[in-house]
Short mmCIF file of all heavy atoms in Angstrom, two decimals:
data_model
loop_
_atom_site.label_atom_id
_atom_site.label_comp_id
_atom_site.label_asym_id
_atom_site.label_seq_id
_atom_site.Cartn_x
_atom_site.Cartn_y
_atom_site.Cartn_z
N GLY R 55 -4.29 -3.95 8.40
CA GLY R 55 -5.38 -3.69 9.34
C GLY R 55 -5.06 -3.97 10.78
O GLY R 55 -5.88 -3.68 11.66
N SER R 56 -3.87 -4.55 11.07
CA SER R 56 -3.44 -4.81 12.45
C SER R 56 -2.39 -3.77 12.81
O SER R 56 -1.33 -3.70 12.17
CB SER R 56 -2.87 -6.22 12.58
OG SER R 56 -3.88 -7.19 12.35
N GLN R 57 -2.66 -2.99 13.84
CA GLN R 57 -1.79 -1.86 14.16
C GLN R 57 -0.55 -2.32 14.94
O GLN R 57 -0.62 -3.14 15.84
CB GLN R 57 -2.57 -0.82 14.97
CG GLN R 57 -3.74 -0.23 14.19
CD GLN R 57 -4.49 0.81 14.96
OE1 GLN R 57 -4.14 1.99 14.97
NE2 GLN R 57 -5.55 0.39 15.64
N ASP R 58 0.58 -1.74 14.55
CA ASP R 58 1.87 -2.00 15.18
C ASP R 58 2.24 -0.78 16.04
O ASP R 58 1.60 0.26 15.97
CB ASP R 58 2.93 -2.22 14.10
CG ASP R 58 2.43 -3.11 12.96
OD1 ASP R 58 2.30 -4.32 13.18
OD2 ASP R 58 2.17 -2.58 11.86
N PHE R 59 3.30 -0.90 16.83
CA PHE R 59 3.74 0.27 17.59
C PHE R 59 5.24 0.24 17.85
O PHE R 59 5.89 -0.82 17.82
CB PHE R 59 2.96 0.42 18.90
CG PHE R 59 3.24 -0.61 19.96
CD1 PHE R 59 4.15 -0.38 20.97
CD2 PHE R 59 2.54 -1.82 19.98
CE1 PHE R 59 4.38 -1.32 21.98
CE2 PHE R 59 2.75 -2.76 20.98
CZ PHE R 59 3.68 -2.51 21.98
N ALA R 60 5.79 1.44 18.05
CA ALA R 60 7.21 1.62 18.34
C ALA R 60 7.35 2.36 19.66
O ALA R 60 6.50 3.19 20.02
CB ALA R 60 7.89 2.40 17.22
N VAL R 61 8.44 2.08 20.37
CA VAL R 61 8.70 2.69 21.67
C VAL R 61 10.10 3.31 21.66
O VAL R 61 11.07 2.66 21.27
CB VAL R 61 8.61 1.64 22.80
CG1 VAL R 61 9.07 2.23 24.13
CG2 VAL R 61 7.19 1.11 22.92
N ALA R 62 10.19 4.57 22.06
CA ALA R 62 11.49 5.25 22.21
C ALA R 62 11.95 5.10 23.65
O ALA R 62 11.17 5.29 24.58
CB ALA R 62 11.36 6.72 21.84
N ARG R 63 13.23 4.76 23.81
CA ARG R 63 13.77 4.51 25.15
C ARG R 63 14.85 5.53 25.49
O ARG R 63 15.66 5.91 24.65
CB ARG R 63 14.33 3.09 25.24
CG ARG R 63 13.25 2.03 24.97
CD ARG R 63 13.73 0.62 25.27
NE ARG R 63 12.69 -0.35 24.94
CZ ARG R 63 11.68 -0.69 25.74
NH1 ARG R 63 11.60 -0.12 26.93
NH2 ARG R 63 10.79 -1.57 25.36
N GLN R 64 14.83 5.96 26.77
CA GLN R 64 15.78 6.96 27.23
C GLN R 64 17.11 6.30 27.55
O GLN R 64 17.22 5.50 28.47
CB GLN R 64 15.23 7.67 28.48
CG GLN R 64 15.98 8.93 28.86
CD GLN R 64 15.81 10.05 27.86
OE1 GLN R 64 14.85 10.08 27.11
NE2 GLN R 64 16.76 10.98 27.84
N TRP R 65 18.11 6.61 26.72
CA TRP R 65 19.45 6.04 26.85
C TRP R 65 19.45 4.54 26.57
O TRP R 65 20.14 3.76 27.23
CB TRP R 65 20.06 6.34 28.22
CG TRP R 65 19.99 7.79 28.58
CD1 TRP R 65 19.26 8.35 29.57
CD2 TRP R 65 20.65 8.88 27.92
NE1 TRP R 65 19.40 9.71 29.58
CE2 TRP R 65 20.26 10.06 28.58
CE3 TRP R 65 21.52 8.97 26.84
CZ2 TRP R 65 20.72 11.33 28.20
CZ3 TRP R 65 21.96 10.23 26.45
CH2 TRP R 65 21.58 11.38 27.12
N GLY R 66 18.66 4.14 25.57
CA GLY R 66 18.64 2.73 25.18
C GLY R 66 18.13 2.57 23.76
O GLY R 66 17.63 3.52 23.13
N GLN R 67 18.24 1.35 23.24
CA GLN R 67 17.81 1.04 21.89
C GLN R 67 16.29 1.11 21.79
O GLN R 67 15.58 0.55 22.62
CB GLN R 67 18.29 -0.36 21.51
CG GLN R 67 18.02 -0.78 20.07
CD GLN R 67 18.98 -0.13 19.09
OE1 GLN R 67 19.97 0.47 19.49
NE2 GLN R 67 18.67 -0.24 17.80
N PRO R 68 15.75 1.79 20.77
CA PRO R 68 14.30 1.81 20.61
C PRO R 68 13.77 0.43 20.22
O PRO R 68 14.52 -0.43 19.76
CB PRO R 68 14.09 2.83 19.48
CG PRO R 68 15.37 2.80 18.70
CD PRO R 68 16.45 2.55 19.71
N SER R 69 12.47 0.24 20.41
CA SER R 69 11.84 -1.06 20.13
C SER R 69 10.70 -0.88 19.14
O SER R 69 9.97 0.11 19.19
CB SER R 69 11.30 -1.68 21.43
OG SER R 69 12.31 -1.86 22.39
N PHE R 70 10.53 -1.88 18.27
CA PHE R 70 9.38 -1.92 17.36
C PHE R 70 8.66 -3.24 17.55
O PHE R 70 9.27 -4.31 17.53
CB PHE R 70 9.82 -1.78 15.90
CG PHE R 70 8.65 -1.73 14.94
CD1 PHE R 70 8.01 -0.54 14.68
CD2 PHE R 70 8.19 -2.88 14.32
CE1 PHE R 70 6.92 -0.49 13.82
CE2 PHE R 70 7.11 -2.84 13.46
CZ PHE R 70 6.47 -1.64 13.21
N TYR R 71 7.34 -3.15 17.76
CA TYR R 71 6.54 -4.35 18.00
C TYR R 71 5.58 -4.53 16.83
O TYR R 71 4.59 -3.80 16.69
CB TYR R 71 5.77 -4.21 19.32
CG TYR R 71 6.68 -4.18 20.52
CD1 TYR R 71 7.14 -2.96 21.04
CD2 TYR R 71 7.12 -5.34 21.12
CE1 TYR R 71 7.98 -2.92 22.13
CE2 TYR R 71 7.96 -5.31 22.22
CZ TYR R 71 8.40 -4.09 22.72
OH TYR R 71 9.25 -4.07 23.80
N ARG R 72 5.89 -5.53 16.00
CA ARG R 72 5.02 -5.84 14.87
C ARG R 72 3.86 -6.69 15.35
O ARG R 72 4.05 -7.69 16.06
CB ARG R 72 5.80 -6.57 13.78
CG ARG R 72 4.97 -6.83 12.52
CD ARG R 72 5.77 -7.52 11.45
NE ARG R 72 4.98 -7.67 10.23
CZ ARG R 72 5.42 -8.27 9.13
NH1 ARG R 72 6.64 -8.77 9.09
NH2 ARG R 72 4.64 -8.36 8.08
N ASN R 73 2.67 -6.31 14.95
CA ASN R 73 1.46 -7.01 15.37
C ASN R 73 1.33 -8.32 14.59
O ASN R 73 1.16 -8.32 13.38
CB ASN R 73 0.24 -6.12 15.13
CG ASN R 73 -1.01 -6.63 15.82
OD1 ASN R 73 -1.16 -7.82 16.07
ND2 ASN R 73 -1.93 -5.72 16.11
N THR R 74 1.42 -9.43 15.31
CA THR R 74 1.30 -10.75 14.69
C THR R 74 0.12 -11.52 15.27
O THR R 74 0.12 -12.76 15.31
CB THR R 74 2.59 -11.56 14.90
OG1 THR R 74 2.90 -11.63 16.30
CG2 THR R 74 3.76 -10.92 14.17
N THR R 75 -0.90 -10.78 15.72
CA THR R 75 -2.10 -11.42 16.26
C THR R 75 -2.65 -12.43 15.26
O THR R 75 -2.84 -12.12 14.08
CB THR R 75 -3.17 -10.36 16.58
OG1 THR R 75 -2.64 -9.48 17.59
CG2 THR R 75 -4.45 -11.00 17.08
N ALA R 76 -2.89 -13.65 15.73
CA ALA R 76 -3.22 -14.75 14.82
C ALA R 76 -4.60 -14.61 14.19
O ALA R 76 -4.78 -14.85 12.99
CB ALA R 76 -3.13 -16.09 15.57
N ARG R 77 -5.58 -14.20 14.96
CA ARG R 77 -6.95 -14.14 14.44
C ARG R 77 -7.60 -12.81 14.81
O ARG R 77 -8.51 -12.75 15.63
CB ARG R 77 -7.77 -15.30 14.99
CG ARG R 77 -7.28 -16.68 14.58
CD ARG R 77 -8.19 -17.77 15.09
NE ARG R 77 -9.54 -17.64 14.54
CZ ARG R 77 -10.57 -18.41 14.91
NH1 ARG R 77 -10.39 -19.35 15.82
NH2 ARG R 77 -11.76 -18.24 14.37
N PRO R 78 -7.14 -11.70 14.20
CA PRO R 78 -7.76 -10.41 14.50
C PRO R 78 -9.16 -10.33 13.90
O PRO R 78 -9.50 -11.05 12.95
CB PRO R 78 -6.83 -9.41 13.83
CG PRO R 78 -6.22 -10.17 12.69
CD PRO R 78 -6.08 -11.58 13.19
N GLY R 79 -9.97 -9.45 14.45
CA GLY R 79 -11.29 -9.23 13.91
C GLY R 79 -11.25 -8.39 12.64
O GLY R 79 -10.17 -8.00 12.16
N ASP R 80 -12.41 -8.10 12.10
CA ASP R 80 -12.50 -7.23 10.94
C ASP R 80 -12.19 -5.79 11.37
O ASP R 80 -12.27 -5.44 12.55
CB ASP R 80 -13.89 -7.30 10.32
CG ASP R 80 -14.20 -8.70 9.78
OD1 ASP R 80 -13.28 -9.34 9.24
OD2 ASP R 80 -15.34 -9.16 9.95
N PHE R 81 -11.88 -4.94 10.39
CA PHE R 81 -11.54 -3.56 10.71
C PHE R 81 -12.05 -2.63 9.63
O PHE R 81 -12.30 -3.04 8.48
CB PHE R 81 -10.02 -3.39 10.84
CG PHE R 81 -9.29 -3.37 9.52
CD1 PHE R 81 -8.94 -2.17 8.91
CD2 PHE R 81 -8.98 -4.56 8.86
CE1 PHE R 81 -8.30 -2.15 7.67
CE2 PHE R 81 -8.32 -4.55 7.63
CZ PHE R 81 -7.98 -3.34 7.04
N LEU R 82 -12.21 -1.39 10.00
CA LEU R 82 -12.45 -0.30 9.05
C LEU R 82 -11.30 0.67 9.18
O LEU R 82 -11.06 1.21 10.27
CB LEU R 82 -13.78 0.41 9.35
CG LEU R 82 -14.07 1.63 8.47
CD1 LEU R 82 -14.37 1.20 7.04
CD2 LEU R 82 -15.24 2.44 9.04
N GLY R 83 -10.56 0.86 8.09
CA GLY R 83 -9.43 1.80 8.09
C GLY R 83 -9.73 2.97 7.18
O GLY R 83 -10.14 2.79 6.03
N LEU R 84 -9.53 4.19 7.69
CA LEU R 84 -9.82 5.41 6.93
C LEU R 84 -8.57 6.28 6.82
O LEU R 84 -7.91 6.56 7.82
CB LEU R 84 -10.93 6.21 7.61
CG LEU R 84 -12.30 5.53 7.74
CD1 LEU R 84 -13.26 6.41 8.50
CD2 LEU R 84 -12.86 5.18 6.37
N ARG R 85 -8.27 6.68 5.57
CA ARG R 85 -7.25 7.68 5.30
C ARG R 85 -7.97 8.89 4.71
O ARG R 85 -8.54 8.80 3.63
CB ARG R 85 -6.19 7.12 4.36
CG ARG R 85 -5.45 5.91 4.94
CD ARG R 85 -4.37 5.40 4.01
NE ARG R 85 -3.62 4.32 4.64
CZ ARG R 85 -3.58 3.07 4.18
NH1 ARG R 85 -4.25 2.73 3.07
NH2 ARG R 85 -2.87 2.15 4.80
N LEU R 86 -7.95 9.99 5.46
CA LEU R 86 -8.78 11.14 5.13
C LEU R 86 -7.91 12.30 4.64
O LEU R 86 -6.96 12.71 5.31
CB LEU R 86 -9.57 11.58 6.37
CG LEU R 86 -10.44 10.49 7.01
CD1 LEU R 86 -11.14 11.02 8.25
CD2 LEU R 86 -11.46 9.93 6.01
N TYR R 87 -8.27 12.83 3.47
CA TYR R 87 -7.49 13.88 2.83
C TYR R 87 -8.36 15.07 2.47
O TYR R 87 -9.58 14.95 2.32
CB TYR R 87 -6.84 13.37 1.54
CG TYR R 87 -5.96 12.16 1.69
CD1 TYR R 87 -6.44 10.88 1.44
CD2 TYR R 87 -4.63 12.29 2.07
CE1 TYR R 87 -5.63 9.77 1.56
CE2 TYR R 87 -3.81 11.18 2.20
CZ TYR R 87 -4.31 9.92 1.94
OH TYR R 87 -3.50 8.82 2.05
N ARG R 88 -7.71 16.20 2.30
CA ARG R 88 -8.27 17.36 1.62
C ARG R 88 -7.37 17.67 0.43
O ARG R 88 -6.22 17.21 0.39
CB ARG R 88 -8.36 18.56 2.57
CG ARG R 88 -9.29 18.32 3.74
CD ARG R 88 -9.44 19.52 4.66
NE ARG R 88 -8.18 19.93 5.28
CZ ARG R 88 -8.10 20.71 6.34
NH1 ARG R 88 -9.22 21.16 6.90
NH2 ARG R 88 -6.94 21.07 6.85
N PRO R 89 -7.83 18.42 -0.57
CA PRO R 89 -7.01 18.68 -1.75
C PRO R 89 -5.70 19.37 -1.39
O PRO R 89 -5.66 20.27 -0.54
CB PRO R 89 -7.89 19.60 -2.61
CG PRO R 89 -9.29 19.27 -2.18
CD PRO R 89 -9.20 18.98 -0.71
N ALA R 90 -4.61 18.94 -2.02
CA ALA R 90 -3.29 19.51 -1.79
C ALA R 90 -2.90 20.42 -2.95
O ALA R 90 -3.43 20.31 -4.06
CB ALA R 90 -2.26 18.40 -1.63
N THR R 91 -1.95 21.31 -2.72
CA THR R 91 -1.51 22.21 -3.77
C THR R 91 -0.60 21.53 -4.78
O THR R 91 -0.49 21.99 -5.91
CB THR R 91 -0.77 23.41 -3.15
OG1 THR R 91 0.37 22.94 -2.41
CG2 THR R 91 -1.69 24.20 -2.23
N SER R 92 0.05 20.43 -4.39
CA SER R 92 0.91 19.70 -5.33
C SER R 92 0.09 18.67 -6.09
O SER R 92 -0.60 17.84 -5.48
CB SER R 92 2.05 19.00 -4.59
OG SER R 92 2.76 18.14 -5.46
N PRO R 93 0.16 18.67 -7.44
CA PRO R 93 -0.61 17.69 -8.21
C PRO R 93 -0.05 16.28 -8.09
O PRO R 93 -0.72 15.32 -8.48
CB PRO R 93 -0.50 18.22 -9.64
CG PRO R 93 0.79 18.99 -9.66
CD PRO R 93 0.90 19.61 -8.30
N ASP R 94 1.16 16.13 -7.58
CA ASP R 94 1.81 14.82 -7.49
C ASP R 94 1.50 14.11 -6.18
O ASP R 94 1.89 12.95 -6.00
CB ASP R 94 3.32 14.97 -7.64
CG ASP R 94 3.71 15.57 -8.98
OD1 ASP R 94 3.05 15.24 -9.98
OD2 ASP R 94 4.66 16.37 -9.02
#
């Protein structure tokens, strides 16, 4: 429920920032789908 982010750098190593916030609030997370043609 705590969002992380990555940064691409021009001519440099990319960075990834993992969210380690100590006391985040509550969240609502939604993953929204429609039917797919593959049964798997």
Side-chain angles (χ1 to χ4, degrees):
S56 295
Q57 297 182 86
D58 317 287
F59 69 96
V61 172
R63 300 189 182 277
Q64 193 68 23
W65 309 113
Q67 185 76 12
S69 302
F70 183 85
Y71 294 92
R72 184 178 184 181
N73 193 334
T74 55
T75 298
R77 297 184 61 185
D80 297 322
F81 76 97
L82 176 70
L84 298 177
R85 299 182 176 117
L86 304 178
Y87 303 97
R88 297 182 299 197
T91 59
S92 171
D94 299 323

